[in-house]
Structure formats: C-alpha cells, structure tokens
Amino acid sequence: MGSALRYFIGVTLVVLLCVASAWVYFRGRALSEAPKRPFDHPLLNRLEKGGPQLIAYQGASLEFPGNTMPAFEKAASLSPDMMLWVDARPTVDGVLVAFESRDLAAMTEGNGWVQYTTAADLEKLDAGYRFTMDHGQSFPFRGKGLRVLRLQEVLKAFPTHSFVINFRDYKQGMDVAIEKLIEEVGAGDRVLITSTEDGILRDLREQRPQWAFGTSQAQGTRLLMFSSIGLEATIPLQGDVFMAVSSDQPRHIQINDRILNEVRRRKLKVIAGPFDNMSAIPADSAARNVDAVLLRDAQ
C-alpha cells in the first residue's frame, strides 16, 4: 500500500510539473506577442526599407571623440539618411547631456560623476581630452575646444536626421525632463528611445505611447539567458525594437539566429552592434540580417 501511494504521489507531481511548465510556456508566449500599434511611426517605417539601416554610434566615433559635435557632423555629412546614436545622462541640476560614461575621467580631464556635476561645470571641461587612436601615444583633440554637449543642442543641430537616444542613470523626474525636451525640439517622430534600465522606458511609454521605444539592456540580457535553455518565448519584451547592443563589451555580438527568429516572431525590429564597420561583422553572423546596425565608422 505504501509503495502504491508513493507511486501515485510521484505520478501526480510529474503531471503537475508538466502542467505548470506548459502554463508558464504558453502564458509567456501570449505575453511576448508584440502589441499592435495604432499608428505609423516615421522612424519605424524607415526600418522597413531594405537595409540594414546604418546608425552612427556616438557619431563618427572611430575618427572623433564620441558624442561630440565633430563626430555628429561627420556622420551626418555622410548621408541625409544616416541615423545618429547619442548617449544621454542627467546632471545634478537636471540638464540632459551627451555623455556615455558616468565617470568624467573617461572622456575629460575632470573627476567625479556626471550626475553629481552641474551642466555649467561640465561645459568647462575638454571633451576631447582622453580620445586617442594609438593607445595613448597621442591625444589629437586635446585643447581643440570640444565640450560636453547638451542633448537639446544635439537634436536642434541636426533637424532632419533621426536619432537613437540611449538614456542612462535614471533618476526621479528624468522622464518629465525628457518629455519636455523632445516636445520642445519637436523630435517625437524622429527619435527611438532606449535605455539600459526598464524604469525610464516604462514611465515614458505610459506618458507618450505614440513614441518609438527600444528594449532595455536588462530585457535583452534576460532573453539571452533564457534562450540558452530554450525558454526565450517566455520572456516578455516591451518596446518596438529589440536592441542587441552591448556598449560595455563592444566586440561581443548579442544576437544569434535563435534570438533573431524569436524577435521576428514578435514582429519587432532589430538593431545590433556596435561594430567598427560593416567588414567587422562576420559574414555568417545573425547581425547581417538585422534591420539596423550601429557603426563607429559608417563610411
């Protein structure tokens, strides 16, 4: 009698486990379906064209210090269709500036973090101070007048170009500042908003559902982790474009055929990179089949 009971309990547990697994899987697939957008967004429509679309990562950042005016000007001059990637962080006084690292010493002669510095103090720093193309043997842009740019002036300087804006260091009230800035510049139909964090994207989607959004780095990481055990269909993705982007590990391609197929099933566009140039992408890489690629040198 005891063995029969144990057998019954064992079978019941297996059945319950199978049912629970099936519930998680199919619920995940339902949640992962891309929402039907009630409008056409000009930037998303551009990604429908034959491609891939080229996006200059921080401008022409292989030739000039990234996120500076010369880098953006060079990239914009290559083509009226060139999209521009810009990183944005908040200063202590709430100004959004074009800067990738939180550490001032990564790009300038200053010390400290962007989020604890005023915009006025940032503008006194040399934004070309650390840039080198020969591993520190020379610094060709030191003392050339390059400064840390405000996001507003970047968007205004290129009124006909589309942007991918990567927001970092989310803090309270930042979503309101972003919304106000983009509305003032009139750039809502030519920006794709993405971030390393979920919070800022969630808040902005609620306030401006008519804007275009990329997935966060956190979402991409979760999808990659679960794809390794065949559960990529269970991970919800919020956004219009899947960002297979790894700025912290620039030579690591965060896209493969399995991920690409899953994202396509959800009817999302895909951006991958950054790469130095198109020749740096392996011929057999899934990154060759995405809708847009991030390049440091887009020539």
Side-chain angles (χ1 to χ4, degrees):
M1 184 70 178
S3 61
L5 179 61
R6 286 194 297 271
Y7 176 78
F8 174 77
I9 292 174
V11 170
T12 301
L13 289 175
V14 170
V15 171
L16 289 175
L17 180 61
C18 291
V19 170
S21 298
W23 179 83
V24 170
Y25 179 80
F26 287 109
R27 179 177 182 273
R29 284 185 66 93
L31 290 174
S32 69
E33 293 294 342
K36 300 297 186 295
R37 301 191 69 88
F39 63 93
D40 289 328
H41 192 283
L43 189 147
L44 297 178
N45 291 340
R46 287 186 59 184
L47 298 182
E48 294 280 358
K49 299 177 181 179
Q53 167 73 47
L54 302 184
I55 305 174
Y57 183 70
Q58 300 174 359
S61 55
L62 206 62
E63 185 177 353
F64 299 93
N67 290 310
T68 64
M69 193 59 73
F72 291 129
E73 288 174 343
K74 176 58 182 294
S77 71
L78 296 175
S79 169
D81 296 324
M82 181 70 67
M83 292 178 63
L84 306 174
W85 171 291
V86 57
D87 296 290
R89 292 181 178 275
T91 64
V92 71
D93 47 347
V95 177
L96 294 166
V97 296
F99 208 92
E100 178 183 16
S101 174
R102 66 178 55 180
D103 187 356
L104 294 174
M107 185 174 178
T108 75
E109 77 279 27
N111 292 299
W113 286 9
V114 174
Q115 67 190 78
Y116 301 130
T117 309
T118 66
D121 285 338
L122 278 178
E123 291 172 342
K124 298 175 185 177
L125 299 176
D126 185 348
Y129 190 82
R130 301 286 182 186
F131 183 80
T132 181
M133 292 183 286
D134 53 13
H135 306 288
Q137 297 300 309
S138 64
F139 299 90
F141 290 97
R142 281 187 180 179
K144 301 296 184 182
L146 274 65
R147 59 182 177 82
V148 177
L149 301 170
R150 299 188 181 209
L151 178 59
Q152 183 178 45
E153 63 183 306
V154 176
L155 295 178
K156 283 185 174 181
F158 306 96
T160 61
H161 282 78
S162 296
F163 283 84
V164 179
I165 309 177
N166 181 38
F167 290 102
R168 296 170 175 262
D169 280 340
Y170 181 47
K171 56 192 264 187
Q172 187 174 7
M174 187 173 166
D175 55 328
V176 177
I178 293 170
E179 184 179 7
K180 180 179 178 181
L181 185 154
I182 292 179
E183 288 298 320
E184 285 180 352
V185 178
D189 62 349
R190 60 185 181 95
V191 297
L192 173 70
I193 296 174
T194 188
S195 177
T196 55
E197 306 171 56
D198 291 327
I200 188 170
L201 297 178
R202 180 190 61 245
D203 293 346
L204 284 171
R205 276 196 306 268
E206 291 177 357
Q207 297 170 33
R208 294 292 176 178
Q210 72 273 26
W211 289 356
F213 293 92
T215 58
S216 69
Q217 184 175 318
Q219 292 182 64
T221 299
R222 289 193 290 270
L223 186 64
L224 287 165
M225 290 175 58
F226 277 78
S227 72
S228 64
I229 55 175
L231 293 177
E232 63 274 6
T234 67
I235 304 302
L237 292 177
Q238 298 297 319
D240 308 292
V241 180
F242 179 70
M243 308 298 291
V245 176
S246 179
S247 56
D248 298 325
Q249 295 178 306
R251 298 189 183 280
H252 177 60
I253 302 174
Q254 291 200 16
I255 191 73
N256 54 47
D257 289 332
R258 185 167 194 152
I259 292 294
L260 186 60
N261 290 337
E262 173 59 24
V263 174
R264 295 294 192 205
R265 181 184 71 81
R266 306 188 196 200
K267 300 179 176 62
L268 301 182
K269 303 302 178 187
V270 186
I271 294 176
F275 307 98
D276 284 350
N277 46 51
M278 287 298 293
S279 63
I281 308 175
D284 59 349
S285 169
R288 289 276 179 175
N289 300 315
V290 299
D291 301 289
V293 290
L294 294 170
L295 301 177
R296 293 185 173 85
D297 181 1
Q299 297 189 68

